[in-house]
Amino acid sequence: MTDNAVYALCQDRQEGMWVGTYFGGLQYYSKKNARFKKYYPIPNANSISGDAIGQITPDKEGNLWIGTEDAGINKFNPKTNKFTHYAATKKRGNCPTLISTVY
């Protein structure tokens, strides 16, 4: 693990643990490998958009929805290892408009 400030935990279907930290991004612990894999922001690449992870929630398809405190929402597909970023626009209105970027 790269950070002790853990904000979110989520167990996947393979009994691996997803760990959201405040300064160290998203990390995955697999029983099979007995080690952590780190996902952190890399500009213009297939990566998570922020370092401060506040929430991790799986959906019915096995994707993870990851809320960050510094860079919007990310959807991660573990089957393809692809991130989709959703960030609010600066437009005024009742709800923010989300812009998605797929890497």
Side-chain angles (χ1 to χ4, degrees), residues 14-97:
Q14 291 75 36
E15 297 185 4
M17 290 300 296
W18 292 90
V19 181
T21 66
Y22 190 72
F23 299 108
L26 180 68
Q27 298 175 45
Y28 180 68
Y29 180 81
S30 167
K31 285 176 142 182
K32 179 180 171 184
N33 298 343
R35 63 176 54 158
F36 282 92
K37 179 175 181 179
K38 183 178 177 190
Y39 296 87
Y40 55 93
I42 301 171
N44 302 314
N46 174 40
S47 69
I48 194 161
S49 63
D51 280 316
I53 311 302
Q55 182 70 34
I56 306 168
T57 302
D59 66 17
K60 293 177 186 177
E61 287 82 39
N63 299 306
L64 295 175
W65 289 85
I66 305 153
T68 72
E69 293 190 25
D70 58 342
I73 298 170
N74 296 262
K75 180 175 79 171
F76 178 66
N77 182 329
K79 295 174 189 167
T80 63
N81 281 323
K82 298 283 182 188
F83 283 92
T84 304
H85 304 169
Y86 299 90
T89 66
K90 300 291 183 187
K91 294 179 182 178
R92 292 195 172 264
N94 291 338
C95 294
T97 302

